[in-house]
Amino acid sequence: MRFLRTRFSFSYNLFIHSKFNEKRTKVNDGSLRQFSTTKNEPYFITTPIFYVNAEPHIGHVYTAVLADSSARFHRLIGCSPVVFSTGTDEHGLKIQQASLQANKDPSQFCDQVSVLFKNALDECEIGYTDYIRTTENRHKENVHSFWNILSDKGYIYKGKYEGWYCTADETFVTEDQTTLLKLPDGREQRVSTESNRPVEWFSEENYLFKLSKLRGELLKWLISGPVVRPVRHYNLVKSWLEQDLVDLSVSRPRARLSWGIPVPEDPSQTIYVWLDALLNYMTVAKHSHSDKNIWPPSVHVIGKDILKFHSIYWPAFLLAAGFDPPKCLLVHGHWLADDQKMSKTTGNVVSPQSCIDIATATGLRYFLLHEGVPASDGNFSMTKLVRIANSNLADGIGNLVNRCCGKNLNPSQIRLAVSPSDFEACGSPGLELLDLLQRTPDIVYEEYLQWNFYKGIDQIMALVRGANGFFQTMEPWKLKKEGKIDKLNASLAITMETARVVGTLLQPIVPSYSERLLDKLGVPRENRDWNFARLRSSTADTSLGAQGTVLFPKIKFD
Ligand code: MSP
């Protein structure tokens, strides 16, 4: 143990900042807007790590797609490095029981399910920079050294814990957070009121963490800036912190829970799975190989069901150990199917693969971000997914590209240089489109920054509609027949320029689709960052890519 602690003391020093509250603006105005991140600054974003007791569903993918779009956006605006982590949460009673039920050795069981998550995320074009598994040695080492810091600082003591525990949620609940249900066979079952899942009574010796001592510091962190968003979740955390906190049990006897990381110097106890899991973020930071300090995390993207762990336990552990708590928690709602949260227990899960098979990863990502409003729950519908992907990606943008890149009107297959005089040459339709084209990128920037991807997409689609309307009004096929070549070229140049801006703006949302679009338009790779996400005059024509113009084949689905 000594060895581990000496070895890691250097990297810990890299992270330690005690003045976290000096760096932020005073209490927010209620809107809790995202602090902005500037060029060349690190951006460290995470998804929660996924439990391996069940296979991935689109609720999990949503968390990951949100984080991925934000990571991609921050890369485009020049943040560096962008560290984006995801992975799997593999310890705890829940996994121990699931592997037993599957008749598998837990480590073999975890290997099998973890790879399913990795594949699903890869399929959905999630561009993580680290995929962490809590069963890795680098993580165990980090958990041990962190435990030792807490223990050295006097935050851990041995005591007796008695109370209700919900294994499905891996959480302790007080009696008034439970409800007694009458089962159909007449028996009674106590459940967690929040999740409706069974609880059991535990009475045992374990280690406790002095959470009760940290309420003041946690409140200070909370009001230091937009650390929990959207505002309703901020208010919820505030209400929790207005009451006393009780100390938290952070270990279980090994005899009851063997699948986990043992307490350093006391192998008869296993570390509580949430302490273990939350520390994944720090393990990633320590192994980020960046010469810049990336601590604290810029944002943890989380579902609303795991807010308490991230807004109370996690910052408390960090503050106790002397580290800065995260800058921001972005909390999203749930995807429902048949008006119930998608979950293995309810049996209403929609697998990402079933969506990809029908609509491709592009269709799925587009739908989740177009329909998902982080502050609310969303209802999943395959019919809606298909309708939206068809009308926006195949028809709206697809038609735009087809029209200006098709050999009919563009026999020499070039993207024509565009200049302000082209807009003037096209009269009021040209000037109206120019206005939209000039306004859209800044609005999209702000919406992406504020996690309103659905609003950003709406703006982009308004631009697409504007460009399709412009094209229709200009009737370039008539201009060609009439030999009005200058006006024909001006209409084509303007339409292609709009398509280029659309493709650049859409990169965080649908990366491979945007790539196809920009490749078709012959946009060099080095000209795709946010500086290019706006109207730019050019002097030279560019050859179009040789590929076909169909970016998204229309889906047939009844
Ligand atoms: N292992 C914990 C997280 C530990 S992070 C240190 C966990 N895992 S989970 O697999 O149950 O959930 C992972 C993420 O998926 C959470 O953010 C959760 O909110 C999200 N979702 C799970 N079901 C969901 C929906 N039906 N809809 C949207 N997201 C949901 O919690």
Side-chain angles (χ1 to χ4, degrees), residues 48-49 51 57 59-60 89 274 281 303 305-306 332 334-335 342:
I49 46 172
Y51 282 132
H57 60 63
H60 301 131
D89 187 352
W274 269 101
Y281 305 131
D305 53 324
I306 53 173
H332 65 76
H334 288 146
W335 280 91
M342 234 173 252

Side-chain angles (χ1 to χ4, degrees), residues 349-404:
V349 294
V350 177
S351 86
Q353 198 54 52
S354 66
C355 303
I356 292 173
D357 289 345
I358 293 172
T360 73
T362 292
L364 173 60
R365 286 181 67 113
Y366 189 82
F367 170 77
L368 292 176
L369 293 169
H370 182 279
E371 287 301 292
V373 178
S376 350
D377 291 342
N379 236 318
F380 181 81
S381 143
M382 188 66 91
T383 317
K384 200 166 182 190
L385 189 165
V386 169
R387 183 168 51 73
I388 290 172
N390 274 345
S391 76
N392 292 5
L393 301 174
D395 296 342
I397 305 173
N399 283 344
L400 187 69
V401 173
N402 240 324
R403 287 165 141 178
C404 53

Side-chain angles (χ1 to χ4, degrees), residues 57-338:
H57 60 63
I58 60 143
H60 301 131
V61 168
Y62 179 59
T63 288
V65 168
L66 261 184
D68 180 63
S69 298
S70 181
R72 287 178 189 274
F73 171 62
H74 282 84
R75 251 178 234 129
L76 285 182
I77 63 176
C79 288
S80 172
V82 173
V83 176
F84 169 28
S85 70
T86 187
T88 41
D89 187 352
E90 307 188 4
H91 289 133
L93 204 53
K94 178 163 156 149
I95 311 300
Q96 184 175 306
Q97 288 175 355
S99 60
L100 202 70
Q101 226 175 24
N103 220 356
K104 296 225 165 83
D105 157 67
S107 89
Q108 195 194 8
F109 177 77
C110 291
D111 286 350
Q112 280 177 1
V113 187
S114 181
V115 83
L116 294 181
F117 273 95
K118 195 162 196 279
N119 291 343
L121 299 179
D122 289 341
E123 284 256 5
C124 293
E125 302 172 14
I126 307 300
Y128 52 82
T129 57
D130 198 343
Y131 188 87
I132 180 165
R133 299 182 53 190
T134 52
T135 45
E136 288 175 74
N137 278 334
R138 60 171 178 157
H139 179 66
K140 289 184 197 163
E141 287 169 357
N142 177 36
V143 172
H144 272 179
S145 74
F146 192 87
W147 177 284
N148 286 332
I149 295 178
L150 289 180
S151 171
D152 288 352
K153 291 194 176 242
Y155 276 95
I156 287 184
Y157 62 96
K158 206 153 191 188
K160 185 170 164 130
Y161 180 80
E162 262 194 343
W164 295 103
Y165 190 78
C166 175
T167 303
D169 301 336
E170 294 282 19
T171 190
F172 300 95
V173 280
T174 56
E175 180 121 352
D176 56 9
Q177 291 168 327
T178 67
T179 314
L180 207 52
L181 288 186
K182 257 238 172 329
L183 298 175
D185 62 7
R187 280 181 307 127
E188 285 186 327
Q189 169 75 67
R190 192 173 286 276
V191 296
S192 150
T193 314
E194 193 185 331
S195 68
N196 220 21
R197 285 144 150 190
V199 295
E200 288 168 81
W201 182 258
F202 284 165
S203 171
E204 56 195 31
E205 279 267 298
N206 46 32
Y207 289 98
L208 288 120
F209 169 69
K210 292 185 183 165
L211 182 62
S212 56
K213 279 185 77 177
L214 287 145
R215 192 167 76 93
E217 280 220 65
L218 285 169
L219 256 174
K220 213 160 106 186
W221 164 69
L222 186 73
I223 62 171
S224 68
V227 297
V228 179
R229 312 178 59 223
V231 72
R232 64 195 315 212
H233 296 295
Y234 172 94
N235 291 336
L236 186 61
V237 177
K238 194 143 179 272
S239 72
W240 291 335
L241 288 176
E242 273 155 9
Q243 290 152 35
D244 282 342
L245 297 174
V246 289
D247 289 352
L248 177 71
S249 160
V250 283
S251 76
R252 306 280 326 274
R254 197 105 190 126
R256 300 216 182 174
L257 172 65
S258 57
W259 186 238
I261 302 178
V263 166
E265 276 137 44
D266 183 358
S268 72
Q269 293 271 326
T270 303
I271 295 176
Y272 175 40
V273 64
W274 269 101
L275 173 54
D276 167 347
L278 287 161
L279 281 167
N280 89 84
Y281 305 131
M282 186 170 269
T283 307
V284 167
K286 281 177 158 186
H287 291 82
S288 73
H289 307 299
S290 166
D291 47 9
K292 288 189 195 157
N293 174 23
I294 64 162
W295 199 263
S298 312
V299 55
H300 295 307
V301 177
I302 55 167
K304 63 181 181 182
D305 53 324
I306 53 173
L307 178 59
K308 184 181 69 191
F309 306 97
H310 283 81
S311 64
I312 307 280
Y313 299 172
W314 177 226
F317 294 144
L318 289 170
L319 288 164
F323 296 98
D324 273 358
K327 288 188 195 163
C328 178
L329 304 177
L330 189 277
V331 190
H332 65 76
H334 288 146
W335 280 91
L336 314 176
D338 314 318

